[in-house]
Amino acid sequence: MSERRPLGVHAVLIASSLAMVAPFVWQIITSLKTLSSATAVPPSLLPEGRWDNYAKVFDLLPFGEQFLNTVVMATGRVAGQVLFCSMAAYAFARLRFPGRNVLFGVFLSVLMVPPQLFVIPQYQIMSSLGWLNSLQAIIVPGLFSAFGVFLLRQFFLALPREIEEAARLDGAGPVRIYWSVMLPLARPGLIALGILTLLWAWNDLFWPLVVNTDPEKMTLSAGLAALQGQYQTDYPILMAGSLIASLPVIAVFVFLQRQFIQGIAHTGSKG
């Protein structure tokens, strides 16, 4: 029984991996087909080598501008969340002040509120500031998140207090301890939050579609959504554009996957 059990575990893992990879493979195959072939019933499992679908994406969309908008928006959100969420998380994990637990509970309650409820007030704020059809409108609302505070707070709680006490004995204050001691030790957690924020920002569709209607101010997700017609959608071109848009995020995850897994593993080590 002990020899069969690992084989069964590996079989489940292999089957799960194939199920997760299958949509991505189908996306690649569809991007190399014609529209008639992609919508044929029964579907064809073989690509047709239509590499010109990738060139048509650049013809139909201001792809360069939208890609740059997405990079700037994602970078701004990642930098903002890593900085602001780590500051709040350190305060909740290490500093003692009246009402700390109550305030942290209020922060966590935000996670139970559907984000769609914030759309109208956020839109009114962006409109009153004159930020519609601008990068600020899609960056500023994503600079902070309650989930990021919770994630990093759990990570700071897992760090040994002896390091902090030694720094305090050397005369370091709370700001110096946070910036020079705790923040470098929290690097895996910061990378984990950065990757998660990058994925959310890169795939964010609803908010950029609401505040930016100018195609040259849109992000890639909103631009690709514009390829879907009311009566007909060219799925091969849409799949080609989606594949191009997803490559940078895949590259970032592959490069930082070890730190990401390490950060998530450390997060739950202490409550």
Side-chain angles (χ1 to χ4, degrees):
M1 179 66 66
S2 60
E3 295 180 357
R4 295 180 180 179
R5 188 172 181 178
L7 294 178
V9 172
H10 288 144
V12 172
L13 292 176
I14 292 173
S16 302
S17 301
L18 293 176
M20 295 178 64
V21 172
F24 186 71
V25 174
W26 185 252
Q27 180 184 22
I28 298 176
I29 294 175
T30 305
S31 68
L32 297 174
K33 292 181 178 181
T34 61
L35 178 59
S36 59
S37 178
T39 56
V41 179
S44 173
L45 299 179
L46 298 176
E48 299 179 2
R50 295 298 300 269
W51 297 100
D52 58 326
N53 288 334
Y54 291 88
K56 291 179 181 178
V57 174
F58 295 88
D59 296 333
L60 296 174
L61 295 175
F63 197 89
E65 290 81 357
Q66 293 181 357
F67 179 80
L68 181 60
N69 294 338
T70 307
V71 171
V72 173
M73 180 267 291
T75 303
R77 287 191 183 184
V78 169
Q81 291 214 18
V82 167
L83 177 62
F84 297 130
C85 292
S86 64
M87 293 171 63
Y90 175 74
F92 283 125
R94 296 300 193 181
L95 303 183
R96 299 191 179 278
F97 52 89
R100 182 184 65 170
N101 295 330
V102 175
L103 184 59
F104 183 66
V106 174
F107 267 84
L108 291 185
S109 66
V110 177
L111 296 175
M112 297 182 288
V113 180
Q116 290 80 8
L117 295 180
F118 301 119
V119 170
I120 294 178
Q122 286 179 348
Y123 182 86
Q124 292 176 339
I125 293 174
M126 296 300 108
S127 178
S128 62
L129 293 174
W131 284 1
L132 298 180
N133 284 319
S134 68
L135 290 178
Q136 305 95 288
I138 56 178
I139 294 176
V140 173
L143 291 179
F144 186 82
S145 72
F147 173 79
V149 176
F150 170 76
L151 181 71
L152 294 181
R153 175 184 176 272
Q154 297 303 110
F155 196 91
F156 281 126
L157 287 175
L159 296 178
R161 287 191 172 273
E162 290 78 7
I163 299 176
E164 185 180 9
E165 293 173 356
R168 188 175 291 108
L169 290 176
D170 290 337
V175 177
R176 182 64 181 273
I177 293 175
Y178 157 76
W179 186 260
S180 301
V181 179
M182 305 301 288
L183 206 59
L185 293 176
R187 182 171 176 267
L190 298 177
I191 292 177
L193 176 61
I195 292 179
L196 291 175
T197 305
L198 175 64
L199 292 175
W200 291 332
W202 201 272
N203 296 324
D204 190 9
L205 171 63
F206 186 62
W207 178 246
L209 203 59
V210 169
V211 294
N212 287 353
T213 57
D214 184 359
E216 294 187 355
K217 297 296 183 180
M218 288 182 176
T219 58
L220 281 177
S221 58
L224 292 173
L227 294 178
Q228 300 184 25
Q230 182 177 2
Y231 301 105
Q232 187 179 23
T233 300
D234 197 328
Y235 293 104
I237 296 179
L238 182 61
M239 292 298 103
S242 301
L243 182 61
I244 298 174
S246 62
L247 290 180
V249 180
I250 295 175
V252 171
F253 179 77
V254 170
F255 183 72
L256 298 175
Q257 61 177 327
R258 180 175 298 180
Q259 292 87 340
F260 174 76
I261 296 174
Q262 182 181 0
I264 295 297
H266 279 293
T267 298
S269 60
K270 184 177 181 180

